[in-house]
Amino acid sequence: MTTVDEIKAIVAHYDNHREWHDLARGNGNLGDGYYNFSGGEPTNLEIGFPEACRRMTHYLGVLGQLTADSVVLDLGCGEGTPAINMAKQFGCQVVGVDLSKNNLLKAKSFLTEESSTLKVEFHEQNFFNLTEDLLNRKYTHVWAQVSFFHTHAHLRKCIDVAASALQSGGTFILVDYCGPRHPVFTRDTSKSAPDMNEYVQTVKDAGFKVLLQEDASRHFLAGTSFLRKIAGEEKNDLEINFYDGRISSIKERLIGMVIIIAQKQ
């Protein structure tokens, strides 16, 4: 489904920002975190980005009812930290796929540093064209953590992939950015993203029953504010400008983040 140029752009996005991601987010944390709030303000930014991301993985896993019997397909697994964390937290089996060879080299390196008893494996594949070996496994869950935003133009196809991989009654665990503006190229009006209602409806149209939908934009804002602080401390003008634009767009509700838990019918 993705064109060669789209694939190159996705891979380049991570390769070109890897050094900054490692510095600001901690190794492997390419998603967003989960925070505590009081009076609408985050109260625990001091936990740092890696711990916030571990908490997001745990929160999503609890919502999706992951157990030691779960078999999870992680679509767009990145550097593998969420896959490793969910295996550690819930004892489940995880199969991660990603387009980027360099992402997967990092993922496999992180995995070797963990217990050999973790049931995690990583594969370099385009999730629109999964091999029969991977697609035909009996997955109880499909996980997509801020991986579809690269291909919002093909959103229904992304969700169809999740549906095709799941057993009947299986659970789709999704967290992603939503629009109307594209979340990476902030304020670029040539690129758009589905708004939250459109996102939820697309999941329903693909044959899922939506069990939960949550506006997670405040967590997105909290994490972005933390990354902006790191950019300021590092005097990284490029990232300062990027995060200032993203913070403004979140506050103006031009971009946001949605959590969806859905069951295949």
Side-chain angles (χ1 to χ4, degrees), residues 22 53 63 73 78-79 95 156 173 181-182 192 221 234 256:
D22 288 350
C53 289
L63 291 180
L73 175 62
E79 294 182 1
V95 178
R156 174 58 190 270
I173 302 172
R181 295 289 180 260
H182 193 280
S192 63
L221 177 59
E234 294 295 321

Side-chain angles (χ1 to χ4, degrees), residues 120-175:
V120 180
E121 58 190 85
F122 296 112
H123 300 269
E124 184 184 347
Q125 292 196 26
N126 180 339
F127 61 64
F128 287 128
N129 299 296
L130 293 175
T131 60
E132 290 297 314
D133 169 60
L134 291 187
L135 192 57
N136 290 336
R137 299 193 193 185
K138 295 182 178 180
Y139 299 106
T140 60
H141 295 74
V142 168
W143 178 286
Q145 186 170 1
V146 294
S147 54
F148 289 174
F149 78 90
H150 292 293
T151 56
H152 276 156
H154 313 296
L155 180 60
R156 174 58 190 270
K157 178 62 177 176
C158 292
I159 297 168
D160 285 343
V161 170
S164 67
L166 276 172
Q167 301 180 69
S168 179
T171 302
F172 182 30
I173 302 172
L174 168 77
V175 57

